[in-house]
Amino acid sequence: MSTTASTTTTATPSTPPPVSPARVLVVDDDPTVAEVVTGYLRRAGHDVGHAADGPAALDAAARCAPDLVVLDLMLPGIDGLEVCRRLRAERPVPVIMLTARGDEDDRIAGLELGADDYVTKPFSPRELVLRVESVLRRSRAATPGPAGRGLLTGAGIRLDPRTRRADRNGRELTLTLREFDLLAHFLTQPGRAHGREELMRDVWGWDFGDLSTVTVHVRRLRAKIEDDPAAPRLIQTVWGVGYRFDAGGDAGAGAGGEEGSR
């Protein structure tokens, strides 16, 4: 059927470990899309609920506390962006946007609200399942990890991968799943330039994808850790390459802005 047509990209996650069953809430007012998505996720072993509009989605999320939400942007009652904002205000539940919109502004708006990923219709249901499980895998890293993963520090930031908590100069940072992973990645390799393709692979776990996702998350992370996000001193742009984390937070503010942004 047309809603299941594959996009031109192919998901190629790198040797992912298996994912245990999760509670997933699918929010979409198109019955065909909802049936396809819930069917594939159930066959993958997940406990899947469905809501057909914004108010029903918020009610269902309050009742079942899903581990992840697959959320369409075009919803009756309350649109998907507002649903995402309210969900994220309640607790940091991972969200994957599912939308027919091709406009980049809509995708970026969802990412700015804290969505972890997005899939554009028409989509491959198998790819969607892989993306769901990639996000679940990272969200479950919130449980205590191996003793070898100790505290990461730099530029007044302390980040504990085991408890998924971070602060800067004693002030706790409220980070989304991807923001936390991105900051951890920077802290493990201070002073090194990272390309956006590399960050997409190492932080998101994908060998493909819209690189504006990385750009938006860097911008969001700067807003939370920089003294002046408009003149960043910690996450600096390396023109023509990507980004570099300066653990000393010294010079280089002038290199701020987005790396060619496209």
Side-chain angles (χ1 to χ4, degrees):
M1 64 184 67
S2 60
T3 55
T4 63
S6 299
T7 60
T8 56
T9 56
T10 303
T12 56
S14 52
T15 58
V19 173
S20 56
R23 292 186 304 276
V24 180
L25 176 62
V26 174
V27 185
D28 198 305
D29 64 327
D30 184 322
T32 302
V33 172
E35 180 181 0
V36 170
V37 173
T38 57
Y40 269 78
L41 288 170
R42 283 172 179 154
R43 282 194 287 277
H46 301 295
D47 178 9
V48 186
H50 170 244
D53 57 45
L58 294 172
D59 288 344
R63 287 196 313 272
C64 73
D67 299 307
L68 182 142
V69 178
V70 176
L71 177 64
D72 188 26
L73 279 185
M74 299 291 288
L75 293 173
I78 304 173
D79 68 38
L81 290 175
E82 177 62 15
V83 170
C84 182
R85 188 190 68 78
R86 296 189 191 184
L87 289 173
R88 299 289 309 175
E90 290 295 322
R91 65 186 183 92
V93 58
V95 174
I96 295 178
M97 290 286 192
L98 184 62
T99 175
R101 295 184 182 181
D103 188 79
E104 184 180 24
D105 290 341
D106 296 311
R107 300 196 300 270
I108 289 177
L111 295 170
E112 292 280 12
L113 286 170
D116 296 278
D117 202 350
Y118 68 87
V119 176
T120 303
K121 300 175 185 176
F123 59 92
S124 160
R126 293 179 63 186
E127 178 185 334
L128 176 59
V129 171
L130 290 173
R131 287 181 178 266
V132 165
E133 295 189 340
S134 174
V135 173
L136 285 169
R137 195 172 293 112
R138 290 183 177 273
S139 69
R140 286 167 174 173
T143 57
R149 297 191 67 197
L151 199 67
L152 301 174
T153 61
I157 296 169
R158 300 190 319 154
L159 181 148
D160 189 340
R162 294 167 295 185
T163 62
R164 304 286 293 191
R165 296 175 70 91
D167 64 76
R168 184 172 187 228
N169 298 329
R171 177 180 60 85
E172 185 166 5
L173 299 172
T174 304
L175 303 174
T176 67
L177 171 68
R178 297 296 190 191
E179 291 164 3
F180 187 96
D181 290 340
L182 183 59
L183 180 56
H185 189 76
F186 282 137
L187 284 167
T188 59
Q189 303 178 72
R192 181 178 178 275
H194 305 268
R196 291 192 295 166
E197 295 88 349
E198 173 194 344
L199 292 171
M200 175 69 76
R201 182 182 65 250
D202 292 346
V203 177
W204 276 257
W206 296 95
D207 293 322
F208 75 99
D210 184 348
L211 297 181
S212 65
T213 300
V214 177
T215 303
V216 170
H217 279 78
V218 167
R219 182 165 63 240
R220 285 177 53 87
L221 186 55
R222 281 173 168 164
K224 295 181 179 183
I225 69 173
E226 299 279 0
D227 294 326
D228 181 2
R233 298 170 66 88
L234 303 180
I235 303 175
Q236 299 177 12
T237 297
V238 181
W239 294 107
V241 179
Y243 305 101
R244 178 181 60 240
F245 183 79
D246 182 359
D250 295 327
E258 301 304 330
E259 182 258 327
S261 261
R262 298 281 178 260

